[in-house]
mmCIF file of all heavy atoms in Angstrom:
data_model
loop_
_atom_site.group_PDB
_atom_site.id
_atom_site.type_symbol
_atom_site.label_atom_id
_atom_site.label_comp_id
_atom_site.label_asym_id
_atom_site.label_seq_id
_atom_site.Cartn_x
_atom_site.Cartn_y
_atom_site.Cartn_z
ATOM 1 N N GLN A 16 61.788 26.188 47.520
ATOM 2 C CA GLN A 16 62.963 26.136 48.367
ATOM 3 C C GLN A 16 62.587 26.361 49.824
ATOM 4 O O GLN A 16 61.704 27.145 50.137
ATOM 5 C CB GLN A 16 63.956 27.228 47.934
ATOM 6 C CG GLN A 16 64.553 27.015 46.559
ATOM 7 C CD GLN A 16 63.612 27.447 45.453
ATOM 8 O OE1 GLN A 16 62.676 28.198 45.701
ATOM 9 N NE2 GLN A 16 63.848 26.973 44.251
ATOM 10 N N TYR A 68 77.890 29.883 42.927
ATOM 11 C CA TYR A 68 78.871 29.376 41.972
ATOM 12 C C TYR A 68 80.308 29.669 42.412
ATOM 13 O O TYR A 68 81.260 29.223 41.794
ATOM 14 C CB TYR A 68 78.615 29.918 40.574
ATOM 15 C CG TYR A 68 78.810 31.403 40.419
ATOM 16 C CD1 TYR A 68 80.053 31.954 40.138
ATOM 17 C CD2 TYR A 68 77.729 32.270 40.540
ATOM 18 C CE1 TYR A 68 80.222 33.316 39.987
ATOM 19 C CE2 TYR A 68 77.883 33.632 40.382
ATOM 20 C CZ TYR A 68 79.138 34.152 40.114
ATOM 21 O OH TYR A 68 79.289 35.500 39.967
ATOM 22 N N THR A 74 83.701 36.655 53.327
ATOM 23 C CA THR A 74 84.165 37.177 54.615
ATOM 24 C C THR A 74 83.902 38.674 54.664
ATOM 25 O O THR A 74 84.128 39.374 53.672
ATOM 26 C CB THR A 74 85.672 36.929 54.796
ATOM 27 O OG1 THR A 74 85.920 35.527 54.755
ATOM 28 C CG2 THR A 74 86.163 37.477 56.119
ATOM 29 N N GLN A 83 78.923 25.023 52.067
ATOM 30 C CA GLN A 83 79.116 23.660 51.594
ATOM 31 C C GLN A 83 77.981 23.362 50.611
ATOM 32 O O GLN A 83 76.879 22.970 51.030
ATOM 33 C CB GLN A 83 79.098 22.680 52.763
ATOM 34 C CG GLN A 83 80.158 22.946 53.824
ATOM 35 C CD GLN A 83 81.548 22.620 53.345
ATOM 36 O OE1 GLN A 83 81.728 21.708 52.530
ATOM 37 N NE2 GLN A 83 82.524 23.369 53.832
ATOM 38 N N THR A 125 72.503 35.626 71.879
ATOM 39 C CA THR A 125 72.770 36.412 73.093
ATOM 40 C C THR A 125 74.274 36.456 73.303
ATOM 41 O O THR A 125 74.958 35.438 73.167
ATOM 42 C CB THR A 125 72.096 35.752 74.308
ATOM 43 O OG1 THR A 125 70.696 35.662 74.075
ATOM 44 C CG2 THR A 125 72.339 36.564 75.563
#
Side-chain angles (χ1 to χ4, degrees):
Chain A
Q16 294 80 18
Y68 66 86
T74 300
Q83 301 289 328
T125 301

